[in-house]
Amino acid sequence: MLKNKILKNSYFDSATLMSITGKIANLLGSNRDVAVMMATDTNKELMQASGLLTAESAAAGPNDLVLAVRGRDEEHSEEILKEAEDLLLQKNKPQNKSTEVEVTTVEQAVAAVPESNFAVVSLPGAYAAREVKKLLQNDKHVLLFSDNVSIDDEIKLKDLAIERGLLMMGPDCGTAQINGVGLGFANQLRSGNIGIVAASGTGLQEVATLISNLGGGISQAFGTGGRDIKEQVGGRMMLACLDILDQDPATEKVVIVSKPPSAAVVDKVAERLKSFSKPVVTCFLGADRTQLQQRLPQLQIADNLADAALLAVGKESFPMPTIPTMKLQPEQKYIRGLYCGGTLAYESILLLKQQFSSVNSNIALTQQEILADSNQSVGHTIIDLGDDEFTRGKPHPMIEPQLRSERLLQEALDPETAVLLLDVELGYGSHSEAGQLLAEDIKQARCELQKNDRNVFFLVHICASYEDYQGYAATRQILEDAGAIVLETNAQAANLACSLVAK
Amino acid sequence: MTQNKILEQTELNIINMGLELFKQETERQNIPTLQVNWRPPCGGDPELIRIIDAIRERG
C-alpha cells in the first residue's frame, strides 16, 4: 500500500536522503518501493512515474521533503514511514562537532578561510552554477561534481575560469588528482611524470591507477566533465588543461582520455598537439584512429584504457591470472556486465562488439541495441548502473554497492548467463568495504547456482591503485576466495569474457 | 587570458559544498577542508533567486 508523508520546510542534502533511501530499501527488500526526495518539480515527476506519489504530495514545494513508501499493507507502510522519519531526526541532531567554523554561504566561506584556493561542489544541479560563479569570482579553482547544469552555464563558467586562470572541471566531473591530492572519487597514486586530461571519470581512474600500478607516476590528472568534448563546449577545459601540462616542469608525458570528441574538437586538439612539447598518448574510446594518425604521425594512439597506460609507461602487458576450467550448460551463451563505472561499461561494449554483432545496454552504441527495459537483460548485455535512470534519488553504486546485489543474483540465475562481468572501485569516495560486499554477493549467487549444479564465470576487475586504503591485495584475495577471477584491467576482463563464451 | 595558476598552488585548501563524503576524503589526505552547510537560497524559489542575483549584479 502506497503512503506518503510530507515534512514541510525540511531541507536535507542528497547524501543524507540517499543514505536513508538505502536503509529503507533494505527494510522493504527492494529499492523500487521507496523514495525520499525534496519535492522539486523534477523529483515529483520521477516519483509520479515510479507510482510513488500520492495526490496530496503533488502540492508539496521544493523546500518540502516527501517520504514515499509502498509496504505490504497500511500498517507496514506507516511503520516504515515512522522509521524513515526517525532516521531523519537523528541526522538533524546537532553533531558533536569540533570548534570548526559554521558557514552556510560562499561569502562566509571565503571570509572564514581567505587562504582557500579550491572548491569541490556537489550541490543540486539547479543551484550549482550560481555558487560556482561566486567561487570563481573569488579566485577558487572548482571541481564541479553536480550534473543537470545547463550547457550555457557550463560555457559561461568555463570562460570565466579561463579568463581568471582557474580550473573549472565539470559539470559531471567525478574525479581529479591535483598537486598530489585526490578529489571526488579518486585513488592514492604514485607521484611521477605522467599527466592526464580526461573527459571521463572512470576512464581517468582506470588509466591513472594502471599507470601507478605499472610503476609509473602521475603529475596531474585533470577531469573536464563529459560534455567538454562536444561541439558546443568546444573542448575549452581540455585545451586549457593541455596548456597547463605543456608548461608543467613535472610533466614529461601526457595521456588524453575520452569518448570520441566532436570533429571540431578533434581538429582543435590535433592543431594544439602540433606545437606540444611533450609526447602524447590519446585514448578516444571507439574513435577511428586512421585520420588522427595521419595528421599526427608521432602520436601514440591507444585503442583501450589499459593500452593507454602501457604506452604511457612503456610496458608491454599486464599479468593474467590462471583461468579454471568450468563446465557450462549448452544454453549458457551470454555475457552480462554490471558496471559501476560508466566508461568501463562503455569500453566493454566496444570490446564485445568486436566479437559479437549485438551488445545490448542502457548505453548501447545503436538504437536497436538499447534495452526496452533496462532491468531485463537480452542476449549479451552490459549495464551502466551509474547511469541517471538508476541513480535518480538513489546513491551511486560506487557509494552503495548493495544496489547491484539484486541484479547480480538475477543475472547469475538466468539460465542463459555464462559470464558475469563486474567492476569494483576502491579509493577515496568508494565504499570502505566494496570488495567484501561484492564477494558476499558472488558467494551467495554461487551457492544458489550450486543447488542446481550450475556454474557461471564471475570476472571482476578491481579499478584501484595498489596503495588504495581499502587494500588492493586483500580485496583481490577475498574475491578469489569467493570464487571470482580477478583481472588487473577492464580490457582483460572484457576480452576474457569473449573468449569464454566463444568456446 | 591569464595563465592558469593551479601549478603555483602546491598546498590545496578546500571549500566543500555538498556531499560531506568528499570533505571526509580530502581530510583523510590531511588537506584542510571547510564544509559549507548550504541550503537553497530564497526557499528554493527560482524567480526570487533570479531577482536577488540581478540586484547583486547591478549593485
Side-chain angles (χ1 to χ4, degrees):
Chain A
M1 161 128 194
L2 174 66
K3 286 203 83 79
N4 284 185
K5 179 150 188 176
I6 303 167
L7 301 182
K8 289 205 72 66
N9 290 316
S10 301
Y11 178 81
F12 290 87
D13 68 59
S14 58
T16 302
L17 296 183
M18 287 172 189
S19 159
I20 287 169
T21 305
K23 289 180 176 144
I24 300 301
N26 279 340
L27 290 175
L28 289 167
S30 169
N31 56 22
R32 291 174 211 173
D33 293 326
V34 56
V36 180
M37 293 185 169
M38 300 307 299
T40 61
D41 288 342
T42 310
N43 285 346
K44 284 193 291 188
E45 275 167 31
L46 283 170
M47 284 191 275
Q48 184 72 45
S50 308
L52 288 169
L53 196 75
T54 61
E56 68 227 339
S57 296
N63 252 9
D64 300 332
L65 178 66
V66 174
L67 305 170
V69 153
R70 184 165 39 227
R72 287 187 304 270
D73 50 41
E74 178 154 7
E75 196 183 323
H76 185 223
S77 295
E78 286 287 355
E79 204 178 290
I80 302 285
L81 277 177
K82 173 96 185 29
E83 179 69 33
E85 214 179 330
D86 286 346
L87 287 168
L88 284 164
L89 285 173
Q90 275 172 34
K91 289 279 178 187
N92 244 355
K93 278 200 189 118
Q95 304 295 318
N96 190 15
K97 285 208 164 109
S98 63
T99 51
E100 197 177 276
V101 178
E102 158 91 353
V103 299
T104 58
T105 65
V106 167
E107 293 83 352
Q108 288 173 7
V110 166
V113 194
E115 65 271 30
S116 58
N117 47 32
F118 212 105
V120 176
V121 179
S122 54
L123 299 173
Y127 304 103
R130 68 187 294 277
E131 305 299 337
V132 171
K133 184 176 176 183
K134 287 190 277 184
L135 288 160
L136 294 170
Q137 285 169 337
N138 279 282
D139 264 340
K140 315 301 176 192
H141 301 273
V142 172
L143 184 146
L144 178 54
F145 181 84
S146 312
D147 57 9
N148 295 315
V149 173
S150 76
I151 204 162
D152 281 345
D153 279 339
E154 177 174 352
I155 291 169
K156 284 179 187 154
L157 291 173
K158 282 178 173 171
D159 283 344
L160 176 58
I162 289 165
E163 187 191 300
R164 299 183 72 91
L166 299 167
L167 291 169
M168 209 305 284
M169 298 184 288
D172 208 10
C173 177
T175 176
Q177 181 90 4
I178 307 290
N179 296 339
V181 181
L183 300 171
F185 292 98
N187 302 94
Q188 185 62 41
L189 301 168
R190 290 163 52 96
S191 176
N193 62 0
I194 300 169
I196 303 175
V197 188
S200 133
T202 36
L204 187 158
Q205 284 188 274
E206 176 82 344
V207 173
T209 54
L210 292 179
I211 286 172
S212 183
N213 294 345
L214 285 167
I218 302 298
S219 55
Q220 307 283 354
F222 300 117
T224 65
R227 218 164 41 185
D228 192 72
I229 46 154
K230 302 287 182 203
E231 179 146 354
Q232 232 178 315
V233 187
R236 276 166 163 81
M237 200 44 52
M238 179 161 285
L239 293 164
C241 292
L242 285 172
D243 284 344
I244 299 171
L245 292 174
D246 205 3
Q247 287 146 31
D248 177 24
T251 299
E252 293 175 345
K253 193 160 192 177
V254 170
V255 182
I256 308 176
V257 180
S258 76
K259 291 185 186 173
S262 76
V265 173
V266 173
D267 274 345
K268 287 182 198 175
V269 169
E271 206 47 43
R272 179 64 185 88
L273 292 184
K274 278 187 188 156
S275 58
F276 206 77
S277 66
K278 300 163 191 183
V280 175
V281 175
T282 58
C283 180
F284 294 145
L285 285 169
D288 183 328
R289 59 190 293 149
T290 333
Q291 281 201 359
L292 192 59
Q293 193 76 90
Q294 280 168 359
R295 284 173 82 164
L296 296 162
Q298 312 287 33
L299 187 64
Q300 291 184 291
I301 298 180
D303 293 320
N304 61 63
L305 300 164
D307 281 354
L310 289 167
L311 284 171
V313 176
K315 295 237 163 115
E316 290 292 315
S317 64
F318 288 92
M320 270 291 282
T322 316
I323 315 302
T325 330
M326 215 153 62
K327 187 165 173 290
L328 298 175
Q329 302 300 324
E331 65 272 20
Q332 287 182 272
K333 293 180 289 197
Y334 296 126
I335 298 165
R336 301 283 160 82
L338 300 177
Y339 281 88
C340 303
T343 307
L344 302 183
Y346 182 75
E347 182 180 64
S348 290
I349 293 173
L350 290 170
L351 290 168
L352 263 60
K353 284 286 281 182
Q354 289 174 11
Q355 307 291 334
F356 306 110
S357 56
S358 187
V359 179
N360 302 305
S361 175
N362 57 330
I363 56 161
L365 299 182
T366 69
Q367 198 54 43
Q368 296 91 304
E369 291 164 301
I370 298 268
L371 288 165
D373 174 2
S374 302
N375 293 302
Q376 199 57 51
S377 300
V378 175
H380 298 297
T381 295
I382 301 288
I383 301 290
D384 173 10
L385 291 167
D387 196 48
D388 282 352
E389 71 175 288
F390 290 103
T391 57
R392 282 200 197 102
K394 299 188 170 64
H396 195 281
M398 278 191 220
I399 300 176
E400 188 46 80
Q402 281 172 307
L403 291 168
R404 180 167 51 179
S405 303
E406 250 182 84
R407 188 66 184 267
L408 191 155
L409 190 60
Q410 176 188 319
E411 298 299 342
L413 298 184
D414 183 329
E416 294 188 316
T417 301
V419 178
L420 229 62
L421 267 177
L422 303 153
D423 62 333
V424 60
E425 285 72 22
L426 304 181
Y428 304 117
S430 291
H431 196 287
S432 58
E433 294 188 325
Q436 289 90 312
L437 291 170
L438 180 57
E440 280 306 314
D441 288 341
I442 292 172
K443 260 194 225 161
Q444 190 198 357
R446 291 185 72 232
C447 194
E448 291 300 315
L449 286 164
Q450 271 151 25
K451 287 178 188 169
N452 294 315
D453 197 26
R454 287 184 65 239
N455 297 310
V456 163
F457 287 98
F458 291 88
L459 306 187
V460 178
H461 164 50
I462 303 174
C463 180
S465 81
Y466 294 155
E467 284 77 26
D468 278 329
Y469 82 85
Q470 292 94 335
Y472 190 108
T475 301
R476 174 168 31 207
Q477 190 62 60
I478 204 170
L479 286 163
E480 286 174 347
D481 290 345
I485 300 167
V486 177
L487 291 308
E488 293 259 357
T489 83
N490 186 57
Q492 280 181 326
N495 287 329
L496 176 59
C498 291
S499 69
L500 290 170
V501 167
K503 277 187 188 151
Chain B
M1 195 172 86
T2 315
Q3 181 153 326
N4 200 292
K5 298 179 267 212
I6 191 61
L7 298 177
E8 299 159 30
Q9 260 112 35
T10 47
E11 303 296 330
L12 291 196
N13 190 311
I14 296 175
I15 293 170
N16 190 61
M17 299 186 73
L19 299 177
E20 286 206 39
L21 169 68
F22 293 144
K23 172 179 187 272
Q24 285 160 21
E25 300 296 52
T26 48
E27 285 184 333
R28 197 197 285 270
Q29 300 170 75
N30 298 316
I31 303 300
T33 308
L34 176 68
Q35 179 69 27
V36 177
N37 290 326
W38 179 89
R39 293 291 179 269
C42 309
D45 185 328
E47 189 52 25
L48 270 179
I49 293 171
R50 194 192 61 75
I51 292 168
I52 297 283
D53 283 348
I55 294 171
R56 181 183 282 123
E57 293 288 313
R58 281 160 64 188

